[in-house]
Amino acid sequence: MSTPERPGRRGAGALTLARWAGARRAAGLLVAAVTLALPAVLDDSALAVYVLLGLAAMVTVGVSLLMGYAGQVSLGQGAFYGVGAYTAALLALGGLPPLLGLLAAPVAAAVAALVVGLPLLRLRGHHLAFATLATQLILLSLAGQLEITGGDIGLQAIPQLSAGSWEAGGASAYAYLTWAGLALVMLVTRNVITSRPGRALRALATSETAAASSGIPVGRYKLVVFALSAAFAGLAGGIYCFYTGYVAPGSFPVLISIQYIVMAVVGGLGTIWGAVVGAAAITLLVQGLDRLANLPGLPSYAPSVLSYAAYALVLIVVVLFLPNGLLPALRRLLSREHPAQPR
């Protein structure tokens, strides 16, 4: 015989859920407003960190979508970041409007992901991870040898981003552009995961066999989300090339792809804001380590060694003590009591 449910229990649980959702929405709006106001008060050095953090967050949102919702592991997101940067740079240097180059960057990255993903997404687990890593190594090797990409020297004197009479003349303009790009990426990702395909992706991540038996086109969904995450990386690469005015194979090392994975895991896989939190934490950590490694008396390889050591240490700490990532742990800390779920 079932125990009768107390009157008002369901209503109280729903009210608590509504309050928690409202608090999350208010916190998101507050963060958006603060970050939008920051470029007006930061100096050029801080703006550089702001831009790099935002670009990393754009790529990491795609990684979180790919790994957290589709269950696919990619160690080659840096390759699509580079495809977007080279595409925008080549079009701008070829005389086309820089804005057209920026718009073409995510498209080129998505197309490259579709071409690469057709054979690679037949693999799973660590086989897929190593295959995507090999893809980045191949693309970097080609970029270093082809004349059109400038070889190892790369492409220089890339014009500033412009649209009509407007031209991005300073770091603050790129900071606002990065903010807008990240907002667009987060909005698209949220719409995807709350839609019917998003539910299908979660089922796919749980079990591809069960998803296929439920009528979900597993291969098609995997390919589409792979291309979408690559498009996010390509957009970030397009902004990066105009901001720096220079791209070369050395701008997209293998370490950068590992960095995106660490950011997604640290922040919390399968969460949009977790990707942003992870990108912020790791970017600020790397910037601090770079300053420490560049102190007089330290060897030239110190930055790389410290970066790898920091990634390893952070991953170990997160896996052992915060297995779900920083953001889920913070949510549990803030909402000390779990809301009652309606039956």
Side-chain angles (χ1 to χ4, degrees):
M1 184 174 180
S2 61
T3 303
E5 187 177 336
R6 292 182 179 180
R9 182 178 180 182
R10 180 173 302 178
L15 181 60
T16 305
L17 287 173
R19 288 176 176 174
W20 177 242
R24 289 171 55 188
R25 192 177 300 110
L29 291 175
L30 178 62
V31 171
V34 171
T35 53
L36 184 59
L38 279 178
V41 298
L42 297 177
D43 57 20
D44 287 345
S45 177
L47 281 173
V49 177
Y50 183 100
V51 172
L52 294 177
L53 191 158
L55 296 179
M58 292 169 64
V59 185
T60 308
V61 169
V63 172
S64 184
L65 175 65
L66 183 64
M67 294 180 61
Y69 286 93
Q72 308 301 310
V73 181
S74 173
L75 290 176
Q77 291 303 105
F80 304 119
Y81 188 63
V83 168
Y86 271 104
T87 298
L90 287 171
L91 291 178
L93 291 172
L96 294 176
L99 181 60
L100 180 61
L102 179 61
L103 296 177
V107 177
V111 171
L114 290 174
V115 174
V116 171
L118 282 172
L120 292 191
L121 291 180
R122 299 177 183 271
L123 304 173
R124 297 182 182 180
H126 64 278
H127 296 96
L128 176 60
F130 287 135
T132 53
L133 178 62
T135 300
Q136 179 170 353
L137 293 173
I138 292 170
L139 290 178
L140 288 176
S141 178
L142 289 175
Q145 296 180 15
L146 295 177
E147 183 179 352
I148 189 174
T149 57
D152 290 331
I153 298 176
L155 301 175
Q156 305 179 27
I158 300 172
Q160 294 288 334
L161 181 64
S162 61
S165 59
W166 175 83
E167 181 178 284
S172 60
Y174 287 101
Y176 287 121
L177 178 63
T178 302
W179 188 96
L182 178 57
L184 175 63
V185 165
M186 295 175 69
L187 178 62
V188 171
T189 304
R190 179 172 178 79
N191 288 337
V192 168
I193 63 178
T194 56
S195 65
R196 184 176 179 181
R199 294 191 293 272
L201 286 176
R202 287 191 288 273
L204 188 155
T206 303
S207 172
E208 291 188 13
T209 303
S213 64
S214 301
I216 297 173
V218 172
R220 187 189 311 164
Y221 273 54
K222 287 167 62 176
L223 190 60
V224 169
V225 74
F226 189 62
L228 182 60
S229 66
F232 294 162
L235 177 60
I239 297 174
Y240 172 82
C241 89
F242 290 116
Y243 174 64
T244 60
Y246 168 78
V247 291
S251 304
F252 316 102
V254 173
L255 179 61
I256 199 172
S257 292
I258 299 174
Q259 179 176 302
Y260 297 141
I261 299 293
V262 174
M263 289 175 177
V265 173
V266 168
L269 281 175
T271 62
I272 302 175
W273 281 102
V276 179
V277 170
I282 298 299
T283 299
L284 295 176
L285 175 63
V286 170
Q287 292 296 322
L289 290 175
D290 284 343
R291 293 189 178 184
L292 178 64
N294 289 322
L295 292 176
L298 292 177
S300 59
Y301 54 81
S304 298
V305 172
L306 286 177
S307 295
Y308 280 114
Y311 295 154
L313 180 61
V314 168
L315 276 179
I316 291 172
V317 170
V318 169
V319 169
L320 290 179
F321 302 105
L322 302 171
N324 294 322
L326 289 175
L327 188 62
L330 182 61
R331 285 175 176 172
R332 287 196 301 270
L333 183 64
L334 293 178
S335 60
R336 294 179 180 176
E337 60 174 354
H338 298 282
Q341 296 292 339
R343 294 185 178 181

